Amino acid sequence: MTHHPGLLRTAPLQGETTSSLICRIASRYGMEAKALRSYWQWRNYPPGHDGGGARADAEVLLNAAGRQLLASLCGVEEDMLARALPSWGQQDAKLSAGKNGVPAAAWRTGGTVAGPVAFGCRLCTARRTGTAVRVVRYAPRWERACVRHGRWLLDADADQPLEHLDLRGLPEVVAAQRRWASVARRAVRAGAEPERVFALAQAVVARWWEQALQWERETIWPRRLHQVAGGDAGGDLEGWRIVGRDAVVFPEVVAVADALLDPAMAELVWADSGAGRPRALPADGMFCRRLGERLGRGWLGPLAATDHGGPLIAWMGSVIRVRRGAGGPPGYDNDPWWLRQEHQSSTMAGQLRVLRKEKKAPGSGTMWRAAVPAEQRRLITSAVDSAEEQLLQLRGVKTGPTAEVARRLLCGLGHSAGLIENAWKRTAVAAVNGGVPLEEVARWVDMPVEVLSQMLTAGRQENDG
């Protein structure tokens, strides 16, 4: 390096990864990032994608000497770096080894250090620094729309080439970004953590997104998806549905979060449940009908109300149990904002990995998602989730007249048994259709082959109908 360290000042951007700052410093000095990184002693190798290639969300942890060196190279004080870089004070056991005073560094992935990592807006970076270079920064998923430049900033952990999506034709997405601040404040006033409220709302809407291919009346999301894809997503619909999902559904996520925080909406849930006279939630309940109206989709109510076992019904169940005082001690089943792991929305990176695996062996039967159509997978999952939610509701059936308790238990158990039977029949059909030998499936379900064959024939007819 021919320049004196610190000759060219490079200020950190708020929330930037340390690795991103090192790359920008190298660029200022006309160096390759790899050459500048040689100033530190590295304890491991940089993380990469499964198919090869460097990860944009790679992060760097430094020891004390390493932090001093970085401060010298960028020409700013360490306390300024500590305020701007979330990873600055993070420690790593690998860095305790070695001689004192030697600048040392260790690689990590950003998500394991300080949360979700996204690309920064290059236009904002140019406005701040004078150079439109790539920046990678920590950013929660409710802060991804650049309001100034109309861009949706994408996750940096995914193996795909785009840094942002163009929102200039989608003012409703930018408006939702502005609106989220008030929703977050409302969550705080209600005693809820905004990040948990957002995660639940996103899970609800992401589940609808998976089902929306079958919704003939859904016209808003397809229009937005084609818009972010540059006019037409048809050339790679599966890929664009993954990359564009979070931007496309963001207005609905914010609207759902706002609705779930509304005490008047919780009152509708209570009324739908029968209030003091418990009953099963109806398909035409007031809560789901009103929720659909708030989303500009009056037809959505019955679809949301009958999606048993999903995160929305789980939220409704928690609200009801808390109101009835039947939830027992504090825990997940009476915490409305508890999001079960199976309900969490999958990330773009995870979905792209699955999609690539499926495309390597299409129809081979080696991958469940490749062999079983999405609609059948959804029906199986919905039946299992519905049975789980039904059984969870029965936990509160403990007191009252013998006949009433027995009736509610038997009706609930019978309904759950029917759902479970439906799920295992569909699973058996899917397994055989996916190439698993009939004899193997018959052994798993402990059933004669001829009986299973008859069941599969009936199952195919039912599915076709």
Side-chain angles (χ1 to χ4, degrees):
M1 189 166 108
T2 58
H3 300 282
H4 187 275
L7 180 62
L8 300 177
R9 186 175 185 274
T10 307
L13 300 177
Q14 189 60 41
E16 188 173 9
T17 66
T18 302
S19 176
S20 172
L21 177 59
I22 291 174
C23 289
R24 290 201 299 117
I25 295 171
S27 177
R28 289 292 307 276
Y29 285 106
M31 301 173 64
E32 293 290 334
K34 185 176 181 180
L36 183 62
R37 288 196 293 263
S38 67
Y39 279 55
W40 286 269
Q41 190 175 94
W42 294 88
R43 304 302 190 190
N44 57 356
Y45 295 98
H49 291 293
D50 293 341
R55 291 180 58 132
D57 69 328
E59 179 57 299
V60 171
L61 301 182
L62 306 172
N63 66 357
R67 291 193 289 270
Q68 292 173 2
L69 173 60
L70 181 61
S72 173
L73 289 171
C74 62
V76 300
E77 298 296 327
E78 286 193 45
D79 59 349
M80 181 180 180
L81 293 171
R83 289 193 299 270
L85 306 179
S87 69
W88 185 256
Q90 300 280 351
Q91 302 296 321
D92 189 276
K94 293 181 181 295
L95 298 180
S96 62
K99 297 179 180 179
N100 292 332
V102 176
W107 288 102
R108 289 290 180 269
T109 56
T112 65
V113 175
V117 180
F119 293 105
C121 174
R122 291 197 182 219
L123 297 180
C124 289
T125 301
R127 187 168 175 267
R128 289 282 307 277
T129 69
T131 307
V133 295
R134 188 180 84 172
V135 168
V136 181
R137 56 186 292 269
Y138 293 95
R141 291 194 166 89
W142 56 80
E143 293 180 1
R144 294 300 178 83
C146 174
V147 175
R148 181 184 295 274
H149 299 111
R151 291 181 168 187
W152 183 268
L153 306 173
L154 293 168
D155 289 347
D157 62 344
D159 187 8
Q160 60 86 36
L162 298 177
E163 294 183 15
H164 73 272
L165 301 175
D166 191 345
L167 300 179
R168 286 176 295 178
L170 299 175
E172 66 269 32
V173 179
V174 176
Q177 180 70 84
R178 292 191 177 98
R179 184 184 177 193
W180 168 252
S182 64
V183 175
R185 289 192 296 269
R186 185 175 190 175
V188 173
R189 290 194 300 270
E193 300 173 27
E195 55 267 30
R196 298 183 70 203
V197 175
F198 181 86
L200 179 60
Q202 186 180 49
V204 170
V205 178
R207 187 175 174 98
W208 291 342
W209 175 257
E210 293 303 315
Q211 301 168 7
L213 286 174
Q214 313 300 324
W215 295 350
E216 294 181 359
R217 301 180 68 176
E218 178 55 55
T219 59
I220 299 174
W221 284 345
R223 175 185 62 81
R224 289 184 195 156
L225 184 62
H226 289 304
Q227 183 76 27
V228 299
D232 184 11
D236 181 18
L237 183 60
E238 286 182 291
W240 277 113
R241 275 182 56 81
I242 294 172
V243 174
R245 182 197 68 183
D246 289 352
V248 169
V249 305
F250 188 64
E252 285 73 24
V253 171
V254 175
V256 168
D258 190 40
L260 299 185
L261 288 165
D262 188 346
M265 295 294 283
E267 283 297 323
L268 294 181
V269 174
W270 178 239
D272 287 341
S273 72
R277 300 176 62 86
R279 66 181 182 187
L281 292 170
D284 60 346
M286 293 184 292
F287 168 79
C288 286
R289 184 164 66 247
R290 178 62 184 134
L291 180 61
E293 292 170 356
R294 290 176 69 146
L295 295 173
R297 296 166 173 82
W299 48 266
L300 179 59
L303 296 176
T306 54
D307 183 22
H308 299 292
L312 182 63
I313 301 297
W315 177 85
M316 296 170 69
S318 295
V319 170
I320 295 167
R321 285 190 292 275
V322 170
R323 192 68 178 267
R324 288 179 182 164
Y332 74 91
D333 61 341
N334 56 7
D335 178 359
W337 309 113
W338 180 275
L339 182 61
R340 303 177 193 174
Q341 184 174 1
E342 63 269 24
H343 289 160
Q344 295 175 11
S345 58
S346 53
T347 64
M348 177 173 67
Q351 292 183 86
L352 288 175
R353 284 194 297 269
V354 171
L355 181 62
R356 291 190 180 101
K357 288 180 180 178
E358 291 175 353
K359 287 184 175 181
K360 287 181 180 179
S364 67
T366 58
M367 299 290 292
W368 172 259
R369 287 174 57 91
V372 182
E375 178 64 13
Q376 290 303 311
R377 298 197 310 270
R378 188 186 70 79
L379 290 172
I380 292 169
T381 300
S382 178
V384 173
D385 288 348
S386 298
E388 180 184 7
E389 182 63 28
Q390 181 71 41
L391 292 171
L392 192 59
Q393 295 272 3
L394 294 179
R395 292 178 59 182
V397 183
K398 298 177 182 177
T399 60
T402 302
E404 177 62 16
V405 172
R407 181 188 67 79
R408 292 174 62 189
L409 283 173
L410 289 173
C411 289
L413 291 170
H415 182 58
S416 298
L419 290 168
I420 293 172
E421 181 179 9
N422 175 277
W424 79 258
K425 283 184 178 180
R426 288 187 180 279
T427 303
V429 171
V432 174
N433 289 346
V436 180
L438 183 64
E439 296 76 14
E440 191 77 359
V441 177
R443 182 172 61 83
W444 293 339
V445 298
D446 193 22
M447 178 182 291
V449 174
E450 58 274 13
V451 176
L452 177 62
S453 179
Q454 294 174 3
M455 186 200 78
L456 293 180
T457 300
R460 289 193 183 98
Q461 292 174 350
E462 179 182 341
N463 293 343
D464 293 341

